[in-house]
Structures are given as structure tokens and as C-alpha cells.
Amino acid sequence: MTIIKTHQDQDIKVSKRQLLKSIGMVGGSAAVFTAMQGWDLASASTSKAPPKLSSDGKGKKLVILGAGLSGMIIALEMSKKGYDVEILEAENLVGGRCKSASKGSVIQEENGEKQVCNFKEGQYFNYGPWRIPAQHLPTLHYCHTLGVKLEPLINKSPMAYYYAENIDGALNGVPVRQGDVDYDREGHVEELLAKAINKGSLDDVINQEDKERLIEHLANTGLLSRKDLNYRPNQIRGFSNYPGAGMDFGKYSDIYSLTEIFNMPVGRRHENEDHPVVMFQPIGGMDQVAMALYKNLPNGVVKLNSEVTEITHTDDGVKIDYKNTETGELSTATGDYCISSIQFPVVTKIKNNFNKDLLNSLKSPAGTPAFKQGLQMKRRFWEQDDMIYGGASLTNIPGHSLTAYPSSDLHSNKPGVLLGSYIWGGEAAKLSNLSIKDRTQFALNAGEKIHPGNFKENFNGEAMSIAWHRHKYHLGGWVTWTNRKRRRQMPTILKGEKRVLFTGNNISTVHSGWMVGAIEAAWHTMAELDKRVGQG
């Protein structure tokens, strides 16, 4: 806690947290982290494990709706406790939104064109989850225990680009290296902070000891000159002409001015801790996680092509009517309990006998439009010509957001599948209304602005795209709650009704679009069912 002196000589207590917040408003999270390091305030996360189940499931039948990650994890863990488990899945493959497109894969949106993947060289496109951070220990738990082999995913490459158009200044419509802009942003803010401290502008904010420690830290980052604490071209920022041998010391690259940096809107927002520089991905595609779960379930647990048509529950059990989507045959599953992992916007369309309060609560969150598109290129020009290995180039092009580069097959002569565009919210809804051909053309036009002369030239004609909100059995990439609705309606949903409980990303907090959200939701629901069974 520090003391601020007002012009009326009144004391106001200000915490370092409040000061860091003020620094962040100017310089973003990089500047905040710089200050945190100077005060030794950086921290890490903790671990988790599946809940320990105490009840005996023998003689009890559990019907699970949906063979996504939540549904299969519940089936896996509850079957170990003796439950007779049955999963009803409307699609013809497991995984929910944890899917990858490879040769022969089919994507079919409701009332949309049928897409059949024809990628070469055994390559793939993750059109659901994309990456796994080290912090998502529940996801890694199942990768490790089920034998899913992982490889590094490079989440950020300093050689990738920021691209902005319709802005003032010389950077308008020019791809600029992310590392250059990131260091310039941090360097300019460090210089301003150092000068403000030296001029006494922060005397009323931090004490003398903290001032000295922070100045020393800023001088040691390498971005500022130790002599005058100015930000100028330096070895960290990099070279325009790389040094060689003998007397070839190279030439430092010019830095962008503070005004140019302020004009650049792309890359200002730093990602949260779920987006570290190095992450992980399953070798061969993200669907390997879903397939590993499926292979470890007891035989016959999952019934594919089984679309639920009605959910009926009583004090003693549940009855689930469903139809075979291939033959139209009607069937019924009965059990002691039912857990639904179906997205709320979908489950509320199914005939049911839920009470009014529960049904209204289930209708509270909205399905979030989400759009992804993969493009296969003839050669890896981003590596060979631009020195980009993994990461993503970011833009302010409406509907585009980013182009991401594969972290697999680095330095190979194979073709590569790029994430041509990824967007969610209103722009995703607009983009999804385009034909498949026009979606592809949109991504090619955006990519050409980032890689002029290379992007369209190297496209081999193969593309796959998905608008999750246009998929009959999902109606969104994830569900989005307002804080008010979550506080009011979530308790009703978590309580469920009689023998029915709900799970999936529907009940996740901040990770509703991640695999870990589905896993933690499954663990939460398992623990709740275990408690209820134990209570009789």
C-alpha cells in the first residue's frame, strides 16, 4: 500500500494493484508485467484432478445425452463406479465440437452446402478446439492417462504480422512484424514511465524504495539506454541488416514513433493466461482427444445417429425418446438418471416436461456464432519466405480477425493447412451467410493483404469452413451468459429437476469455449450425481 498526496495535502491510500491497473490502461499487460517483475509480483496457477466418487453405481442406469467431451468423460468415470451407462448422440461421430477435418471428413450445416474434405498429405484442420495451454490441467490429465500424444503449438510468433487498414499514418495497409510493434509499445511506455519517475511525477503514488527498484528494473530490461533511459534502436528490437562476420556489425532496424504505435489498433489487447506463447496440440488433430475417450469407453455405450425427440422424467427415473437419423426408426431409452450435455439452445427445442422455471433458465444463455475456415497451401511460404513458424497474423479486417499458421511439420516440404479466418459474434453471423465459394474468396482476399503475392498464388483449391451456429445440433460455438442471468438462473440449472442434471460448456464459467470448460463441467456434474445417489 502506498500513499498519494492530493493538492489539498490529504492522504489517499493506493494499492500496487490500483497502480498496476493505471499502468495497464496506458501500456497494456506487457507494461503491467514489467512493473510486476520489478516488484516480484508475478504468480502461477494450481492443479486439479477428477473428483473422487463415493457412491456405488451398480444396478443404476445412467442415460447421457451427447457424446461430446463432457458426455464421454462422465460415461468413462461413472462406468468405473459400476453404473450402466448409455450415450445417445445425434451425429454419426463422437466429439461434439472437438473435431478435425481430414481427407474424407464431411461438414454439413443446416440448409447449407455439403463439404467433403480433400486435404492432402494426411493433414487436418481443427475446426473446433485449436490449442491446449499448460494451465488446463484437466485436459492434459486425459491426454496423459488416455495416451494422446502431444506436440508443442507455437501460439505467438514475433515474425507474424499485424495488419490494419483505414487508420491514420504510414502503417495503414502495411503488414508489420508483431515483434517490432510489441517491443516499440513496451519501449515507449517504459521510457515514459522512467521519465515520469525521474521527474517526480509519481512521488505521491509510490515510495522512494519502490521508485528506485522500478527504475533499476526498467534500466535492466534492455529496451532503454541505461545512460538516459531513452528508447532507441537496440539489439532486442532487432536488425534491418543482420550482422555477419569480420566488421559486419549489421544495422539496427528503425523503431516506429509513439504516434504510429498509438495509431495501430491491432495487437493492443494482450491475451490472458490461457494464451501463453507455447501451448500444446495432439499429434494428428484435436479429434484425437475425443477418439481416445471413445476408445476407452465400454463397448456399445455410444449410440450414434440417435437424435433425442423427447425427455420425460419422474420422481423415479427418466424416459428418453429418440430416432435413428439414418433409418427414421423410433426407440426409447430408460434409466434411473439422465445427464444432458446438449447445448442449451438445442435442448430447449426438444420436447420435455421440465418445470417452467427450469425451462426459462435453460433459455437464458445465447448460442455464440463462431466461424472457422481452413485453407491448404501448396508450399509453406510463411516459413520459407517470411520466417514465420506457428503463431498467427492479426488484422482489423471486418470478419477476419486472424490467419494462424500450423505448428506441425515445421521445416518440411509438405503443404500446410492455415486457419484462414476465425471470428465469433456478429461478424461470424455475417460471414456464415456467404456461399462456400465466397467464404473461401473472403479468406484469400484477407490473406493476400498479409502476404501479398503469395497467399492466392499458393492456395491449392482445398478449403473447409464451419459456422457452428448454423449446425443443427450445436447452434453456436459455445453459450454466452450475462453476469446477471448467470447469477439468477444458473442455480436453478445446477439443481436440475428430479432425476435430470445438465452439464457441458453450458455451465462453465470463463472457459465455455475451451475443452477444459467441458471437462470441468463434467467433473462438477459427476460430483453432484454422486452426492445425490449417496443420499438415496
Side-chain angles (χ1 to χ4, degrees):
M1 185 70 68
T2 56
I3 304 296
I4 293 179
K5 293 283 188 180
T6 69
H7 67 282
Q8 297 172 327
D9 205 31
Q10 294 176 322
D11 291 349
I12 300 178
K13 293 183 178 181
V14 177
S15 67
K16 287 180 181 177
R17 180 183 296 273
Q18 290 170 308
L19 176 57
L20 289 169
K21 182 177 180 180
S22 300
I23 294 173
M25 292 176 66
V26 177
S29 63
V32 172
F33 193 69
T34 295
M36 288 176 69
Q37 289 175 312
W39 285 324
D40 299 324
L41 295 178
S43 61
S45 60
T46 58
S47 63
K48 286 188 177 181
K52 294 182 179 180
L53 305 177
S54 58
S55 63
D56 185 356
K58 291 182 179 179
K60 298 178 181 63
K61 172 72 177 295
L62 173 60
V63 182
I64 299 171
L65 310 184
L69 297 189
S70 283
M72 289 194 290
I73 285 170
I74 292 173
L76 178 68
E77 303 294 354
M78 301 309 276
S79 64
K80 294 176 184 177
K81 296 297 294 183
Y83 286 85
D84 177 13
V85 180
E86 181 178 17
I87 302 179
L88 302 178
E89 170 56 51
E91 297 190 70
N92 64 354
L93 69 166
V94 300
R97 274 147 288 143
C98 184
K99 292 190 174 74
S100 305
S102 56
K103 192 173 183 64
S105 299
V106 175
I107 295 179
Q108 180 72 64
E109 298 169 14
E110 193 168 16
N111 300 319
E113 304 169 54
K114 183 178 181 180
Q115 302 175 70
V116 180
C117 184
N118 194 34
F119 291 151
K120 300 176 181 179
E121 302 277 340
Q123 295 185 335
Y124 61 89
F125 164 52
N126 292 324
Y127 58 97
W130 188 260
R131 47 205 169 173
I132 305 172
Q135 290 89 334
H136 290 191
L137 294 169
T139 307
L140 294 175
H141 165 79
Y142 285 107
C143 291
H144 296 161
T145 58
L146 300 179
V148 179
K149 294 183 179 180
L150 300 174
E151 63 184 352
L153 180 146
I154 303 168
N155 192 47
K156 181 176 174 62
S157 168
M159 302 304 287
Y161 295 105
Y162 294 140
Y163 173 87
E165 53 191 22
N166 299 317
I167 63 172
D168 294 331
L171 300 186
N172 179 51
V174 178
V176 290
R177 299 285 191 179
Q178 291 182 14
D180 294 346
V181 175
D182 292 345
Y183 281 127
D184 286 353
R185 281 184 172 134
E186 186 174 349
H188 284 304
V189 170
E190 283 191 21
E191 179 180 336
L192 291 172
L193 180 59
K195 290 180 177 178
I197 293 171
N198 281 340
K199 291 182 178 180
S201 300
L202 297 183
D203 286 354
D204 294 334
V205 179
I206 55 176
N207 60 38
Q208 183 61 33
E209 181 182 358
D210 280 345
K211 282 173 54 180
E212 292 173 358
R213 292 184 65 195
L214 189 51
I215 281 291
E216 180 64 18
H217 175 73
L218 293 173
N220 286 333
T221 65
L223 289 176
L224 304 186
S225 164
R226 293 190 66 89
K227 181 179 180 180
D228 54 18
L229 296 177
N230 285 333
Y231 176 58
R232 55 171 62 104
N234 59 76
Q235 192 167 350
I236 292 177
R237 174 57 161 76
F239 297 86
S240 58
N241 294 319
Y242 210 74
M247 298 301 293
D248 181 6
F249 297 102
K251 180 180 183 299
Y252 289 140
S253 58
D254 295 330
I255 63 176
Y256 298 121
S257 70
L258 186 62
T259 300
E260 289 173 325
I261 290 299
F262 281 158
N263 286 338
M264 170 57 69
V266 182
R268 285 177 180 169
R269 183 180 179 85
H270 291 263
E271 298 280 14
N272 57 35
E273 70 169 355
D274 295 310
H275 300 80
V277 174
V278 177
M279 303 173 75
F280 303 99
Q281 64 183 14
I283 296 174
M286 197 63 74
D287 61 350
Q288 298 302 304
V289 177
M291 293 309 300
L293 281 167
Y294 178 65
K295 291 176 182 177
N296 280 272
L297 291 174
N299 290 335
V301 163
V302 181
K303 289 186 177 178
L304 299 175
N305 301 306
S306 300
E307 180 182 331
V308 176
T309 57
E310 185 171 1
I311 304 170
T312 306
H313 62 87
T314 67
D315 291 331
D316 301 319
V318 295
K319 180 171 74 75
I320 311 298
D321 296 326
Y322 63 96
K323 72 174 181 179
N324 186 297
T325 56
E326 291 184 333
T327 66
E329 180 183 357
L330 302 179
S331 302
T332 298
T334 58
D336 298 289
Y337 297 93
C338 173
I339 295 178
S340 172
S341 67
I342 301 173
Q343 290 244 97
F344 288 170
V346 178
V347 78
T348 53
K349 295 180 180 294
I350 299 172
K351 187 177 180 181
N352 62 75
N353 67 336
F354 301 151
N355 69 64
K356 184 178 179 180
D357 288 343
L358 175 57
L359 191 57
N360 287 338
S361 295
L362 292 171
K363 292 179 178 179
S364 295
T368 303
F371 178 90
K372 278 188 175 180
Q373 180 163 229
L375 308 170
Q376 191 173 59
M377 298 292 166
K378 301 172 187 175
R379 70 178 185 93
R380 306 172 77 90
F381 59 85
W382 55 94
E383 296 179 5
Q384 298 161 1
D385 300 348
D386 295 320
M387 296 184 293
I388 299 174
Y389 297 90
S393 289
L394 312 180
T395 79
N396 70 343
I397 300 171
H400 178 254
S401 177
L402 60 85
T403 290
Y405 311 95
S407 293
S408 57
D409 299 325
L410 299 179
H411 291 286
S412 73
N413 290 320
K414 296 180 179 180
V417 179
L418 300 176
L419 175 59
S421 56
Y422 173 39
I423 198 72
W424 56 93
E427 291 295 336
K430 294 178 184 177
L431 196 58
S432 66
N433 290 328
L434 299 176
S435 67
I436 301 301
K437 179 180 178 181
D438 287 343
R439 291 178 182 182
T440 302
Q441 190 59 51
F442 170 84
L444 290 174
N445 290 341
E448 188 68 17
K449 293 178 179 180
I450 305 169
H451 298 279
N454 254 338
F455 209 85
K456 292 182 178 180
E457 172 69 22
N458 284 285
F459 177 52
N460 74 351
E462 298 300 332
M464 295 290 285
S465 64
I466 181 70
W468 285 109
H469 51 288
R470 292 168 61 98
H471 196 292
K472 178 180 180 180
Y473 299 123
H474 299 283
L475 299 182
W478 54 88
V479 298
T480 300
W481 289 84
T482 64
N483 289 333
R484 181 181 181 185
K485 286 184 177 180
R486 183 187 294 276
R487 286 193 300 269
R488 291 186 174 186
Q489 309 297 346
M490 185 62 80
T492 300
I493 292 171
L494 295 179
K495 185 172 64 175
E497 185 176 6
K498 296 178 181 177
R499 297 298 184 97
V500 178
L501 291 171
F502 300 91
T503 193
N505 81 92
N506 306 285
I507 66 170
S508 179
T509 52
V510 299
H511 293 125
S512 59
W514 296 82
M515 291 189 293
V516 72
I519 297 170
E520 290 181 327
W523 288 356
H524 180 281
T525 309
M526 285 161 43
E528 178 61 25
L529 177 61
D530 184 59
K531 181 177 69 176
R532 295 189 184 195
V533 172
Q535 294 172 347

